[in-house]
């Protein structure tokens, strides 16, 4: 994210704000910026006396202001970090008084995760005037693949399209979880390595043959035998393959096929953009397009909506995962 890079570069250049209010639905960048400030604004020997880490559930705004108003000891500045600051949502407006009269030798960091403040509020305008307000927004799934490539490239790795798509398919847009899995791979694999599907299967715990990715391929190709084998595996291992997740991903797959049918411009670049997939996988969607007419795909999507409701326990108390999976495949193949 370019804005995150700019903030870090500004800190490196010595352009350090007195207040950083980091908020938003995506915790990954909030954590990364907080961690960077924690590890880089002060030198190691200055931190014992001049760096304070507080937690929103344990303190009040008055406690935070009290800490922020102190003077540094044998250093040019002190750092006060408030993690889980969203716990102070009810009283956060009390921070206005500090923003109006802040301590210029203090760097105050508020990590306000999973929530945002109304930017029209007086507090936000004050914070933005004297410090920095950063909003960390959730990334759309069709942007995650590019993000994975950029992260890996920055660390000296590359990744094959199929492996990239598998990560997005299985982990969605949870950047923290994806980052943790990539870190595991970097410990195991040498720098310069191109991460492939086999690396994902062997080191992140996804079954090579029995996963939603392979189920989608089997459905698209109308390979009934393979689809039923995968469904049976899912039914026998419900903890690793929750029915709600399976239904959601299969539903999403057929919605993309339906969108593909409706496209006038079937240029690969446009298809990849509209469907939010890697161009590498368009050929798989081409197969599904030939196997399922638009009218049939519409019926499948409608049927999957009903199964999704049942998978969430509405009107299906007597149906097991095995029965629901069987019903899903019957809906698709018949």
């Amino acid at each position: 994210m370019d804005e995150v890079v700019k903030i870090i570069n500004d800190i490196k250049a010595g352009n350090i704000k007195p207040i950083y209010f980091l908020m938003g639905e995506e915790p990954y960048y909030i954590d990364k910026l907080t961690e960077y400030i924690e590890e880089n604004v002060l030198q190691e020997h200055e931190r014992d006396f001049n760096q304070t880490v507080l937690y929103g559930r344990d303190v009040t705004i008055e406690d935070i202001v009290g800490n922020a108003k102190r003077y540094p000891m044998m250093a040019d500045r002190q750092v006060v970090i408030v993690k889980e600051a969203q716990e102070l949502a009810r009283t956060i407006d009390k921070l206005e008084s500090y923003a109006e009269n802040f301590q210029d030798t203090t760097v105050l960091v508020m990590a306000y995760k999973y929530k945002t403040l109304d930017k029209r509020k007086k507090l936000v305008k004050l914070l933005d005037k004297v410090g920095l307000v950063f909003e960390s927004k959730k990334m759309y799934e069709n942007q995650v693949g590019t993000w994975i490539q950029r992260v890996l490239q920055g660390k000296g790795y590359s990744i094959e399209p199929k492996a990239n798509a598998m990560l997005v398919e299985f982990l969605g847009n949870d950047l923290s979880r994806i980052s943790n899995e990539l870190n595991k791979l970097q410990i195991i694999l040498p720098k310069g390595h191109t991460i492939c599907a086999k690396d994902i299967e062997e080191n992140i715990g996804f079954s090579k043959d029995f996963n939603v990715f392979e189920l989608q391929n089997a459905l698209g190709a109308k390979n009934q035998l393979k689809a039923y084998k995968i469904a049976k595996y899912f039914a026998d291992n419900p903890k690793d393959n929750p029915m709600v997740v399976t239904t959601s991903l299969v539903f999403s797959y057929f919605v993309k096929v339906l969108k593909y049918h409706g496209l006038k411009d079937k240029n690969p670049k446009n298809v990849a953009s509209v469907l939010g997939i890697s161009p590498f996988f368009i050929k798989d969607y081409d197969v599904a397009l030939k196997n399922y007419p638009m009218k049939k795909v519409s019926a499948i999507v409608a049927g999957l909506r009903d199964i999704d409701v049942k998978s969430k326990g509405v009107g299906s108390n007597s149906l097991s995962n095995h029965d629901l999976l069987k019903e899903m495949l019957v809906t698709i193949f018949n």
Side-chain angles (χ1 to χ4, degrees):
M1 194 178 195
D2 294 339
E3 190 178 354
V4 175
V5 173
K6 183 181 184 304
I7 293 169
I8 289 174
N9 286 339
D10 282 346
I11 293 172
K12 285 180 180 177
N15 181 17
I16 301 172
K17 304 290 186 182
I19 305 175
Y20 290 88
F21 197 93
L22 314 174
M23 65 180 185
E25 296 294 327
E26 176 52 68
Y28 176 79
Y29 286 114
I30 295 173
D31 288 338
K32 285 296 177 185
L33 285 171
T34 302
E35 181 182 305
Y36 185 83
I37 293 170
E38 191 171 356
E39 294 178 357
N40 292 277
V41 168
L42 297 179
Q43 295 184 37
E44 190 172 353
H45 70 272
E46 297 175 322
R47 293 175 199 156
D48 286 343
F49 295 107
N50 296 292
Q51 187 153 283
T52 305
V53 177
L54 306 171
Y55 289 86
R57 65 179 178 273
D58 300 326
V59 296
T60 63
I61 296 295
E62 289 78 11
D63 295 329
I64 294 166
V65 172
N67 278 277
K69 283 290 188 179
R70 293 184 320 193
Y71 288 98
M73 293 181 62
M74 296 176 288
D76 292 333
R77 59 172 62 92
Q78 69 156 341
V79 175
V80 177
I81 297 171
V82 184
K83 298 183 178 181
E84 309 297 340
Q86 69 276 7
E87 298 288 341
L88 296 159
R90 292 182 180 179
T91 57
I92 196 68
D93 286 341
K94 291 183 179 181
L95 200 60
E96 285 179 14
S97 60
Y98 180 76
E100 290 172 331
N101 186 26
F102 62 90
Q103 186 75 24
D104 58 9
T105 54
T106 293
V107 178
L108 174 62
V109 181
M110 301 290 290
Y112 196 89
K113 297 195 291 188
Y114 313 113
K115 296 181 178 182
T116 57
L117 297 181
D118 187 336
K119 292 181 180 179
R120 297 169 296 181
K121 290 172 71 78
K122 179 183 177 183
L123 172 62
V124 177
K125 292 178 180 178
L126 279 170
L127 292 171
D128 199 36
K129 181 179 178 181
V130 303
L132 181 143
V133 176
F134 168 73
E135 182 178 353
S136 184
K137 297 179 180 179
K138 272 287 183 187
M139 190 174 287
Y140 294 113
E141 279 198 20
N142 62 1
Q143 299 172 313
V144 176
T146 302
W147 180 84
I148 290 171
Q149 288 179 315
R150 288 176 60 184
V151 169
L152 288 172
Q153 187 176 20
K155 296 182 179 181
Y157 293 83
S158 56
I159 185 168
E160 291 181 352
K162 182 175 181 180
N164 195 329
M166 287 174 71
L167 284 172
V168 177
E169 193 75 35
F170 295 124
L171 302 176
N173 62 348
D174 187 336
L175 301 189
S176 296
R177 190 177 172 198
I178 293 172
S179 179
N180 288 338
E181 298 298 346
L182 293 179
N183 288 338
K184 290 179 189 176
L185 291 174
Q186 289 162 45
I187 292 170
I188 299 164
L189 304 172
K191 188 166 284 192
H193 182 82
T194 297
I195 297 168
C196 63
K198 186 177 179 183
D199 296 322
I200 304 296
E201 292 157 1
E202 291 181 350
N203 298 299
I204 298 185
F206 303 139
S207 170
K208 178 180 178 180
D209 300 310
F210 301 104
N211 55 62
V212 174
F213 193 75
E214 292 299 325
L215 177 61
Q216 288 179 357
N217 286 342
L219 294 173
K222 276 200 167 180
N223 187 335
Q224 296 192 31
L225 178 60
K226 184 177 180 181
Y228 275 99
K229 281 184 177 179
I230 295 172
K232 183 179 184 307
Y233 178 85
F234 283 6
D236 293 339
N237 298 274
K239 288 185 179 179
D240 296 327
N241 306 278
M243 186 62 200
V244 173
V245 175
T246 300
T247 308
S248 174
L249 291 173
V250 172
F251 176 81
S252 175
Y253 171 75
F254 277 102
V255 167
K256 289 174 184 175
V257 176
L258 189 60
K259 285 182 180 178
Y260 195 1
H261 266 297
L263 285 179
K264 292 182 179 179
D265 180 3
K266 287 187 168 59
N267 177 282
K269 188 174 181 181
N270 184 56
V271 172
S273 175
V274 173
L275 301 190
I277 61 173
S278 166
F280 181 83
F281 293 102
I282 291 176
K283 61 183 184 297
D284 297 326
Y285 281 83
D286 285 336
V287 172
L289 209 66
K290 292 175 183 176
N291 284 330
Y292 298 94
M294 190 173 189
K295 187 175 180 181
K296 174 60 178 174
V297 180
S298 297
I300 289 171
V301 169
L304 288 173
R305 281 200 182 98
D306 292 337
I307 294 168
D308 179 54
V309 170
K310 293 178 182 178
S311 73
K312 292 170 181 172
V314 180
S316 63
N317 293 333
S318 61
L319 292 180
S320 64
N321 277 6
H322 182 274
D323 291 332
L324 285 168
L325 284 163
K326 185 177 179 181
E327 182 178 337
M328 181 179 74
L329 296 184
V330 169
T331 299
I332 294 168
F333 289 132
N334 285 1

